[in-house]
Amino acid sequence: MEYRRLGRSGLKVSILSLGSWVTFDTQVDDELAVKCIGAAGDAGCNFFDNAEAYAGGKSEEIMGRAFRELGWPRWSYVLTTKLFWGIHGDVPNMRNTLNRKYLMHAIDGSLERLGDDFVDVVYCHRCDPDTPMEEIVQTFTEIIEHKKAHYWGTSEWTADEVRSAIDIADRHGWHKPVTEQSQYNLLERRKVEKEFARITDDFGYGNTIWSPLASGLLTGKYADGIPEDSRGALEGYEWLQDRLSDQDVIERVERLRPISERLDCSMAQLSLAWATKHPMVSSVITGASKVEQVEQNFAALDVIPKLDDDVMGEIDEALGR
């Protein structure tokens, strides 16, 4: 396993990591969570991602119980969560916000569900145009100084919003965000490769990317429709179905199959390995509903050395880039 610095911080994270979006509670119970996290740890993973909003807080609870069952020393892994959406219904100050009142309640709630005293990184799950950026940066500085988190980051912010937060932090001597969490995969590249290029150059901003398999589309399993046991068939995720059944996109993805077959890997492994090749990516967050999926995903580590410039060019050509 390769470990990369999270931006310009000194924190090192595994190049492949494990997240709980969609899977924990929906598809993964306590017993399976222990096995999946354990399998990831066996592969060298030290970075585990969660969020307050995942399964209405139940995902954090399951992950917290899994770590206690595994008995790993707390210093041996990096634990993260994200705040913004809220889980208390349509209540003023507790939903879709980053105001100080919400954040102070939310971080305590996440830590209680995780059964931990701190997270290593706390992310803003989205930006909040209704809260002054100065209030956001100051509050995350206080969260860090109160030892409830070691670092803070952003998720799906614009480059301008990140730059504003960093400028305010520099002006006041507050803690700066160190990493973004953007969607990035073979089909969705603009934000990481274009919009955030200058932010990375100027500030060394990290990125722990999500949806590296485009919600499973890049695995090739949707070529013949949406399988009953897949993410696209889950209740509450109907919004994915149009994309997962887009025949034009499916045909483009299928052009990757000969490349993966020649490299003796799955299309999922090819896509995960590809995502690690970008120097702006600190870690690629994987998801899995079975231990076998965890093991198969982390086998992408063996594919990374095979992706030389010629193969990377061939992948782009296959997708019409």
Side-chain angles (χ1 to χ4, degrees):
M1 178 69 74
E2 177 186 351
Y3 300 89
R4 294 179 179 174
R5 287 174 59 194
L6 190 62
R8 285 184 181 161
S9 78
L11 185 67
K12 291 186 176 181
V13 294
S14 51
I15 194 172
L16 292 181
S17 48
L18 183 67
S20 62
W21 180 49
V22 180
T23 55
F24 277 40
D25 185 59
T26 306
Q27 297 172 295
V28 175
D29 59 14
D30 283 40
E31 182 179 358
L32 186 51
V34 171
K35 293 178 180 177
C36 287
I37 292 174
D42 289 343
C45 174
N46 78 334
F47 181 80
F48 299 88
D49 183 72
N50 215 310
E52 171 198 54
Y54 293 168
K58 292 180 181 178
S59 176
E60 290 177 320
E61 294 175 355
I62 291 172
M63 185 171 281
R65 289 194 294 266
F67 278 121
R68 289 192 292 277
E69 176 68 22
L70 287 163
W72 293 353
R74 183 61 183 85
W75 49 259
S76 66
Y77 59 92
V78 175
L79 179 62
T80 73
T81 198
K82 296 181 285 294
L83 308 174
F84 172 77
W85 301 109
I87 59 173
H88 299 291
D90 193 15
V91 179
N93 298 314
M94 295 302 290
R95 188 172 184 84
N96 301 353
T97 184
L98 294 174
N99 70 40
R100 190 175 189 278
K101 174 177 173 60
Y102 161 75
L103 287 174
M104 288 304 190
H105 283 288
I107 187 63
D108 286 344
S110 283
L111 294 179
E112 182 178 355
R113 288 186 293 275
L114 289 165
D116 215 323
D117 296 328
F118 65 92
V119 290
D120 294 284
V121 186
V122 57
Y123 291 86
C124 304
H125 213 158
R126 292 296 185 273
C127 197
D128 175 13
D130 295 326
T131 299
M133 188 64 75
E134 188 171 80
E135 180 177 340
I136 296 171
V137 178
Q138 183 179 25
T139 304
F140 276 98
T141 295
E142 291 179 11
I143 287 173
I144 291 172
E145 291 180 347
H146 291 166
K147 300 182 179 180
K148 296 178 181 180
H150 291 146
Y151 304 91
W152 75 282
T154 58
S155 181
E156 292 300 323
W157 281 31
T158 67
D160 286 344
E161 288 164 344
V162 171
R163 185 177 293 277
S164 174
I166 291 174
D167 287 347
I168 287 172
D170 280 338
R171 191 180 315 145
H172 293 281
W174 292 338
H175 288 277
K176 293 180 284 191
V178 300
T179 186
E180 164 69 4
Q181 189 169 120
S182 302
Q183 180 178 187
Y184 183 58
N185 54 60
L186 279 161
L187 303 174
E188 184 65 46
R189 308 189 192 184
R190 184 198 60 81
K191 188 161 193 172
V192 170
E193 296 183 359
K194 302 297 184 182
E195 181 183 349
F196 268 77
R198 184 65 180 269
I199 291 290
T200 302
D201 288 343
D202 289 351
F203 304 111
Y205 210 55
N207 209 322
T208 55
I209 62 104
W210 62 277
S211 198
L213 299 180
S215 297
L217 189 56
L218 287 165
T219 67
K221 67 183 178 184
Y222 294 107
D224 298 319
I226 299 176
E228 291 184 2
D229 63 345
S230 69
R231 178 173 299 186
L234 290 175
E235 182 178 354
Y237 292 87
E238 292 83 4
W239 54 273
L240 282 173
Q241 293 177 4
D242 286 345
R243 179 71 183 279
L244 297 177
S245 58
D246 187 323
Q247 287 303 309
D248 288 340
V249 177
I250 289 172
E251 287 176 10
R252 289 173 61 204
V253 170
E254 281 300 305
R255 295 175 199 152
L256 297 171
R257 194 175 295 278
I259 302 174
S260 68
E261 290 176 348
R262 192 179 74 247
L263 296 179
D264 193 27
C265 67
S266 69
M267 291 172 66
Q269 290 164 346
L270 177 69
S271 299
L272 292 172
W274 176 90
T276 71
K277 297 291 286 187
H278 200 286
M280 296 168 68
V281 172
S282 304
S283 186
V284 175
I285 300 173
T286 68
S289 58
K290 303 173 184 176
V291 176
E292 293 78 11
Q293 285 182 329
V294 176
E295 295 170 343
Q296 291 165 6
N297 286 341
F298 280 85
L301 294 168
D302 296 328
V303 182
I304 297 172
K306 300 178 182 180
L307 301 190
D308 57 22
D309 291 344
D310 289 340
V311 174
M312 294 291 281
E314 188 179 354
I315 290 171
D316 280 346
E317 184 178 355
L319 293 173
R321 303 292 297 189

